[in-house]
Amino acid sequence: MLKKIIILSAILSIFITFTGRGKDVFGETSGDNYKLYCAQCHGLKGNGSGINKADMSVAPRNHTDTIEMSRLKDSDLYDAIAHGGVSVGKSALMPPWQGVMTDAEIREMVAYLRELCHCKGE
Amino acid sequence: MKIVKTFLLITLFSLWLTAPHISMAADGKMVIEQNRCAGCHEMNGGKAGTIAEVLSKKAPDLFYAGSKFQEKFLTEFLQRPVRIRPAGTIFLNYTVPGTEIDQIQEPPLCASRLSREDAVAAAQHLMTLKDPDMPTGIYKPGAEFAKASAKMLFFKSGACNACHQVDMGGGDIKGGVSAPTLYDAGDRLNGDWVLSYIKDPQHWDPKAWMPKRELPDSTWQLLTNFLMTMKKSEEMRKAEK
């Protein structure tokens, strides 16, 4: 009986440790970050149709456009996300997210954009 | 003995002077409890630290209402709520994918419809809920500032209107809808809070979908001055009635 309790306690401790630390260790998923930070302009599906699009002077990029997205290097995507559109010669409507997402999250976001466009960079 | 008597009289007089304020604040707390404001608003300082927690929010946090708002605005809003966030408190909860543009599904409006007396009391209580660490007295109402530079900052380099609606003149409302309206920021918000929020949105909302930028203090001051000039136009006020 005592053996069973000890084993159960050990399993429970491991479970609590990992679920409790999970958010800190692994952060948010890139899909969730995309929805929270990017979808307001780039759309829930990533097709450039976000709710803020209507009054924008420059349309948000369609991340599902394979041809257009293929022309961009991963480093361009990283810079645009981290430092804003101006850093890659594009619109200031794209703000810098460096102070909000971690470096790892931005790199994961670049990979997520490649999933959305089903493409690789130049 | 005479000194003790005088001291007691002064103490009693002070208590009499402050009593109405104490009772009003207590009433306001009761009004808020009776109207179950905490059912939608976070009143006790629990900031949403994960996206899942953000999505579970029904209404804006009120545990720092006294730092954020102007009392006059709260008193009016509590009697007749108006929409401040065009796509709801959390836009993701009311948005569905669209072909040309994603669609906002009718977000609920604050259910508060208090009597004037209750609204006054509730607003007074809400104004006591403050973040003691927020620097105050930094925003100087009515101070002169370079409006042209502020406009450049707001519309061009900062592109704040990408997510916030503003009045382009005569009630012509333009701008993004994922964030709170700004055409009435100067009627609604406390200047010191505005400065603090735009400088570090994630201090107030760890998962705020607003970028954080490193800019000189003078730039934040300039932007705050500009935001605080934004007031609801007569046309808009008439339309609301």
Side-chain angles (χ1 to χ4, degrees), chain A residues 55, chain B residues 154-155 160-169 171-176 180-185 226-227 230 236:
Chain A
D55 284 342
Chain B
F154 184 88
F155 289 105
C160 311
N161 55 320
C163 301
H164 297 275
Q165 288 185 329
V166 291
D167 188 347
M168 303 302 285
D172 179 23
I173 304 301
K174 288 273 190 300
T181 58
L182 288 179
Y183 49 73
D184 59 344
F226 182 57
L227 288 167
M230 294 187 181
M236 290 191 74

Side-chain angles (χ1 to χ4, degrees), chain B residues 5-188:
Chain B
K5 251 185 181 177
T6 314
F7 177 76
L8 275 173
L9 273 172
I10 291 169
T11 309
L12 283 172
F13 182 67
S14 306
L15 281 173
W16 176 78
L17 272 179
T18 53
H21 305 290
I22 291 166
S23 68
M24 193 60 89
D27 287 345
K29 193 177 181 188
M30 208 155 68
V31 169
I32 284 165
E33 282 167 4
Q34 282 167 349
N35 285 276
R36 296 178 186 161
C37 301
C40 293
H41 297 275
E42 179 58 56
M43 307 294 292
N44 298 313
K47 289 181 184 175
T50 65
I51 294 177
E53 285 168 1
V54 168
L55 295 176
S56 71
K57 279 196 178 295
K58 293 179 185 168
D61 293 337
L62 286 182
F63 57 85
Y64 53 84
S67 295
K68 179 178 179 179
F69 293 113
Q70 293 179 27
E71 190 170 341
K72 185 170 180 281
F73 159 78
L74 286 175
T75 308
E76 285 175 11
F77 183 92
L78 291 167
Q79 293 172 79
R80 195 183 329 163
V82 290
R83 193 173 295 292
I84 293 167
R85 297 168 187 241
T89 301
I90 311 296
F91 75 94
L92 280 173
N93 287 338
Y94 305 102
T95 308
V96 292
T99 316
E100 285 302 311
I101 189 163
D102 290 350
Q103 299 298 306
I104 300 165
Q105 297 182 317
E106 198 59 29
L109 196 60
C110 176
S112 170
R113 296 283 187 285
L114 301 186
S115 67
R116 173 151 184 83
E117 194 186 358
D118 281 356
V120 167
Q124 281 186 356
H125 174 68
L126 288 172
M127 291 306 290
T128 67
L129 307 179
K130 295 192 180 190
D131 179 341
D133 297 330
M134 185 183 85
T136 56
I138 297 170
Y139 165 67
K140 307 283 181 217
E144 289 288 318
F145 67 96
K147 204 164 183 182
S149 304
K151 272 188 172 178
M152 280 291 287
L153 190 62
F154 184 88
F155 289 105
K156 298 291 179 190
S157 53
C160 311
N161 55 320
C163 301
H164 297 275
Q165 288 185 329
V166 291
D167 188 347
M168 303 302 285
D172 179 23
I173 304 301
K174 288 273 190 300
V177 291
S178 63
T181 58
L182 288 179
Y183 49 73
D184 59 344
D187 292 325
R188 190 173 83 231

